[in-house]
Amino acid sequence: IAFRIFESLAMSRKVAVCVDGSKDCEYAVNWALDEFLRPTDEVLITHVTADIVAMNKEILSLYDDSGLGSYSLPDDKEAAVVKAKAEALCQKFVERCTSKGFKAAPLVLLGDPRDALVNELPKAGCKVLLIGCRGLGFVGRTLLGSVSD
């Protein structure tokens, strides 16, 4: 039995740690680095951002041409700016992980956070997902919702 416990501790895991740039997120990442992650783990610093082009096309499809006036969809340049900001956020935490000796990489996903995490993390080989909370409490989570629920 002791051998199996040692063997499982030595095995590498791919762990996704979700980030959003908040103080609660910083706390969750620091907690993961200090308390949860094993030296053999690979960390995927993950951020999910809205796919603004797809989202606006969906909104646009709800209206006919007469009701929109001069509304224009964001172009690829605007979407690239959003993605670049998400990548910079992830890179900040990747550097923190590597400075503590962990192998880490950024992962930026587009779309609804629940769908993106559930669909894409298994494809990336993740075995563990760490999501911090915003400290909303029961009422706040009930009213606003939470990805962690």
Side-chain angles (χ1 to χ4, degrees):
I1 294 177
F3 177 73
R4 286 191 178 195
I5 293 171
F6 177 74
E7 184 180 67
S8 69
L9 290 174
M11 290 175 41
S12 177
R13 303 174 298 181
K14 193 175 275 192
V15 178
V17 178
C18 294
V19 298
D20 64 4
S22 68
K23 289 187 182 222
D24 293 320
C25 156
E26 296 240 0
Y27 178 83
V29 171
N30 290 333
W31 176 85
L33 290 170
D34 296 338
E35 304 294 334
F36 181 78
L37 295 170
R38 302 173 188 160
T40 57
D41 288 342
E42 181 181 344
V43 183
L44 278 179
I45 298 295
T46 306
H47 179 76
V48 183
T49 188
D51 185 349
I52 62 170
V53 173
M55 187 170 59
N56 283 329
K57 284 182 182 176
E58 186 176 319
I59 292 168
L60 186 61
S61 72
L62 298 175
Y63 299 93
D64 63 11
D65 293 334
S66 63
L68 286 176
S70 62
Y71 182 81
S72 63
L73 292 172
D75 58 14
D76 291 338
K77 186 185 223 182
E78 292 172 47
V81 168
V82 170
K83 188 172 182 188
K85 287 181 179 182
E87 288 171 347
L89 172 67
C90 287
Q91 192 58 42
K92 169 185 158 185
F93 291 104
V94 165
E95 290 169 7
R96 185 175 300 169
C97 292
T98 55
S99 73
K100 293 223 175 194
F102 292 98
K103 182 178 176 186
L107 176 63
V108 174
L109 302 173
L110 298 176
D112 177 75
R114 289 171 286 218
D115 295 336
L117 295 172
V118 168
N119 295 329
E120 298 302 321
L121 291 181
K123 293 176 188 175
C126 288
K127 301 296 181 193
V128 179
L129 169 62
L130 295 177
I131 300 176
C133 71
R134 295 180 288 174
L136 295 175
F138 176 74
V139 174
R141 279 197 328 270
T142 302
L143 295 175
L144 297 175
S146 173
V147 173
S148 60
D149 287 341

